[in-house]
Amino acid sequence: MIPVRLLVCLHCVAAAWMPTSAWAQQLSFTLTEEMLIGDDEDAPAEYLFTGPELVRTNSRGYIYVNDRRRADVRVFDRSGRFITTIGKRGEGAGEMSEIVSMHIDGQDRLLVADRNSQRFTIFEDLGERFETIAFPEEIWGAPHPILTVGDAFVLRYVRALDDPSGKLPYIKDTKTLHLFDAALNHIETFADLGDMFNLDVPLEKELSDNQGALNMATNGIDEIVLVPRVYRGYVYRFVLRADAWHMAELRGGPVPRQSYRMVTKDEFDNDFELGRSSILVAGPSGVYRARVFNWSLGVAVLSTGEIVNFTLQTPLRGELGHRAELFDATGQLLGYGPIRFNDSALNRNEEIMSDFEILWVDQNDRIYLRRPNERGFYVLSVAELVIQPE
């Protein structure tokens, strides 16, 4: 096994930003990379990526990777050696055409959701056996992500309901988390989007049910954490108590007073730098563009029960601000600060620093992140999380 380390280091903030807990302290975190998959452009094709999109790991430490624009899943062992490919492009049994989410359950089964075929495929024994199950009719769009909670799956999506008046093809329910048993039978629905987005604002209403609108993590037992990708400084924690899910709003570290501002189509189309830090959202009510000042890059529930939220701040002037926030197992903010690699050459590379994203955190708290390398193509980086006082 190759050891990997992630360290995160967070900065103090300007007085113009939102205040935070008086108990929070400055912490030091640094990303120390110990393994890269896809960094050797002369390696066989199975080791190279267009862009790792989805990552999961099984009980043996095998790494499952879905690459952007591919309809299969590659499997590597814990040292990065290629093992096999599961599935292929197509419409037949065991084939996929647009993978939107995947997950490894407690039995090491690979569950893949295919948007185009509107079905799940469950693979066992590294793809030797499989079964397919159709999406329930209530799913609008696609489930993303899929995670394990106890003996069940939790899926995030917005469901479509019949319109009794017959005037609309669907009515979207505002609840977004759905529990299914191991056979993918629906159990319950909870987590209202109105608690996490201002649904009276057209941009946020259209964004709220978008596949990438919320980052999500779980402890695998009785806790689920949601963080809006356009981050306002609040993390939403759902805990199962007495057979009911209870939500708590956790206040994070200092953030800009505005998480975004609206921009015009001309600004969005003609300003390259603005476009890199903006979003475009289209829906039934129109098309909206916004300059985002604060992003969530991913969230994790660690084996200790602590929560880490990785963020990126994109100020109008000055350098990008990669930050992390650490909450204890009760949801209390412990500290925050900037994220740095231990390799100063990576920190000086603007393309790398502006385009890395957390994809997965395994049961040993290893971090799996996508980033461009020095030659401009994407690699999968593996690192371990270490947190220290600054």
Side-chain angles (χ1 to χ4, degrees):
M1 180 180 69
I2 293 179
V4 270
R5 241 180 15 168
L6 165 72
L7 303 155
V8 183
C9 182
L10 310 178
H11 289 296
C12 29
V13 294
W17 295 3
M18 296 289 286
T20 188
S21 167
W23 299 103
Q25 61 175 317
Q26 294 288 303
L27 297 175
S28 174
F29 308 68
T30 303
L31 285 163
T32 302
E33 297 181 317
E34 299 291 344
M35 184 170 73
L36 293 176
I37 303 176
D39 196 39
D40 180 3
E41 57 189 2
D42 295 322
E46 56 263 30
Y47 287 91
L48 303 178
F49 302 111
T50 300
E53 196 74 14
L54 301 167
V55 174
R56 291 293 187 269
T57 51
N58 72 6
S59 63
R60 299 172 64 184
Y62 281 14
I63 306 165
Y64 293 66
V65 186
N66 168 242
D67 193 22
R68 189 176 297 161
R69 294 196 292 272
R70 287 181 60 122
D72 56 26
V73 177
R74 277 179 274 177
V75 184
F76 302 85
D77 69 15
R78 61 196 313 157
S79 67
R81 180 175 63 91
F82 175 74
I83 300 296
T84 191
T85 298
I86 298 176
K88 63 179 181 178
R89 185 174 297 279
E91 299 179 357
E95 299 174 344
M96 290 84 69
S97 59
E98 187 183 1
I99 296 175
V100 290
S101 55
M102 70 178 193
H103 187 60
I104 306 292
D105 70 5
Q107 303 173 53
D108 280 347
R109 302 186 305 168
L110 169 65
L111 173 64
V112 179
D114 183 7
R115 184 201 301 269
N116 285 349
S117 68
Q118 290 286 290
R119 69 187 181 194
F120 301 103
T121 303
I122 302 176
F123 295 95
E124 298 184 60
D125 299 328
L126 294 176
E128 292 295 323
R129 295 183 293 131
F130 61 85
E131 65 172 316
T132 58
I133 300 173
F135 285 0
E137 292 184 359
E138 67 176 27
I139 290 184
W140 168 253
H144 177 83
I146 303 169
L147 295 172
T148 296
V149 177
D151 296 326
F153 295 114
V154 57
L155 284 64
R156 196 190 77 76
Y157 61 87
V158 176
R159 63 180 178 173
L161 305 177
D162 292 333
D163 177 12
S165 71
K167 296 178 180 178
L168 297 172
Y170 60 86
I171 297 175
K172 285 187 258 186
D173 188 354
T174 59
K175 290 189 169 48
T176 192
L177 294 184
H178 307 266
L179 282 185
F180 286 76
D181 66 19
L184 290 171
N185 299 303
H186 188 266
I187 300 173
E188 67 173 314
T189 296
F190 59 101
D192 199 292
L193 289 170
D195 292 331
M196 294 168 276
F197 298 89
N198 184 349
L199 300 183
D200 293 327
V201 175
L203 168 73
E204 295 196 35
K205 184 176 182 180
E206 296 298 353
L207 177 65
S208 65
D209 66 353
N210 185 279
Q211 179 178 317
L214 287 162
N215 287 321
M216 178 171 154
T218 174
N219 66 353
I221 303 171
D222 57 3
E223 178 182 7
I224 301 167
V225 177
L226 293 174
V227 185
R229 187 161 176 78
V230 179
Y231 181 51
R232 296 184 297 112
Y234 294 95
V235 170
Y236 300 91
R237 179 176 181 243
F238 296 82
V239 177
L240 182 62
R241 294 195 301 268
D243 296 326
W245 290 92
H246 300 267
M247 190 196 83
E249 187 179 69
L250 311 183
R251 182 64 175 273
V255 297
R257 291 190 180 276
Q258 277 186 291
S259 55
Y260 66 88
R261 72 169 174 85
M262 304 301 295
V263 299
T264 67
K265 183 178 186 304
D266 285 346
E267 288 176 313
F268 186 87
D269 293 341
N270 299 319
D271 186 333
F272 175 73
E273 290 300 324
L274 180 65
R276 291 179 65 190
S277 57
S278 299
I279 55 172
L280 184 151
V281 182
S285 65
V287 178
Y288 306 94
R289 303 164 184 83
R291 167 72 155 83
V292 179
F293 300 115
N294 209 28
W295 306 82
S296 172
L297 300 180
V299 63
V301 180
L302 304 179
S303 60
T304 60
E306 295 168 316
I307 300 168
V308 180
N309 180 37
F310 301 91
T311 71
L312 170 64
Q313 293 172 352
T314 55
L316 289 172
R317 299 178 184 83
E319 296 181 354
L320 299 174
H322 289 85
R323 300 174 183 273
E325 302 167 338
L326 177 68
F327 301 83
D328 69 15
T330 70
Q332 174 71 40
L333 179 67
L334 294 177
Y336 51 88
I339 306 167
R340 291 288 181 266
F341 291 93
N342 72 320
D343 184 342
S344 59
L346 298 181
N347 294 327
R348 292 193 300 268
N349 190 313
E350 184 177 350
E351 292 301 315
I352 291 175
M353 295 304 292
S354 64
D355 197 16
F356 77 81
E357 187 162 357
I358 308 300
L359 300 179
W360 180 242
V361 180
D362 70 17
Q363 61 186 357
N364 296 311
D365 296 341
R366 289 187 188 86
I367 309 296
Y368 299 77
L369 62 98
R370 175 185 64 230
R371 70 163 177 84
N373 66 6
E374 293 82 353
R375 296 176 297 284
F377 58 89
Y378 282 102
V379 298
L380 180 66
S381 167
V382 187
E384 182 189 8
L385 183 63
V386 175
I387 304 171
Q388 300 173 327
E390 190 172 53

